[in-house]
Amino acid sequence: QVQFVESGGGLVQSGGSLRLTCAASRNTFSIYRMGWYRQAPNYQRVLVAVITNSDNTIYGDSVKDRFTISRDNAKNTVFLEMNNLKPEDTGVYYCYVNTIAGDSWGQGTQVTVSS
């Protein structure tokens, strides 16, 4: 089982920036993909950004050119730099890890963008 430590959420004004960090505990299996998903009230969880262990990245359409994902493989840590935040970016951001054993999710960190 993967243990997570997520940080960096908070309240920010529209146009502002935040940086999310997620450290996943060491485990038996290698981590393939790491990333972030967002869930707003009454909406399904949606992809924000994912990065593979070879540094290939996938972004949700709404965050392209504003958000940047990166990772430190040695520390099993993934980062999400969020710039030019918009009110529609508001939600709980969940850290995601994929290994050969399947998918695991963090407890989530709240991001609120005020207009």
Side-chain angles (χ1 to χ4, degrees):
Q1 187 173 357
V2 180
Q3 303 295 320
F4 295 86
V5 178
E6 297 168 315
S7 62
L11 173 64
V12 65
Q13 289 188 333
S14 182
S17 298
L18 286 174
R19 186 178 194 237
L20 304 184
T21 300
C22 172
S25 63
R26 295 186 66 178
N27 55 78
T28 302
F29 303 114
S30 298
I31 293 176
Y32 297 140
R33 295 189 300 273
M34 300 185 76
W36 297 90
Y37 282 69
R38 178 181 69 239
Q39 187 164 19
N42 301 317
Y43 285 86
Q44 291 185 336
R45 194 172 296 185
V46 296
L47 169 71
V48 176
V50 167
I51 184 168
T52 71
N53 56 356
S54 55
D55 286 341
N56 292 315
T57 57
I58 303 171
Y59 291 95
D61 288 341
S62 66
V63 307
K64 287 178 181 177
D65 301 323
R66 297 189 297 122
F67 291 10
T68 302
I69 190 169
S70 60
R71 67 188 279 176
D72 182 335
N73 289 328
K75 297 181 180 180
N76 289 339
T77 300
V78 63
F79 308 95
L80 185 68
E81 191 74 36
M82 304 186 293
N83 298 314
N84 190 22
L85 281 159
K86 304 177 180 181
E88 52 264 41
D89 296 319
T90 294
V92 178
Y93 283 67
Y94 293 92
C95 184
Y96 157 81
V97 161
N98 170 260
T99 72
I100 195 171
D103 297 337
S104 297
W105 300 89
Q107 75 280 6
T109 184
Q110 176 70 42
V111 171
T112 303
V113 184
S114 63
S115 58

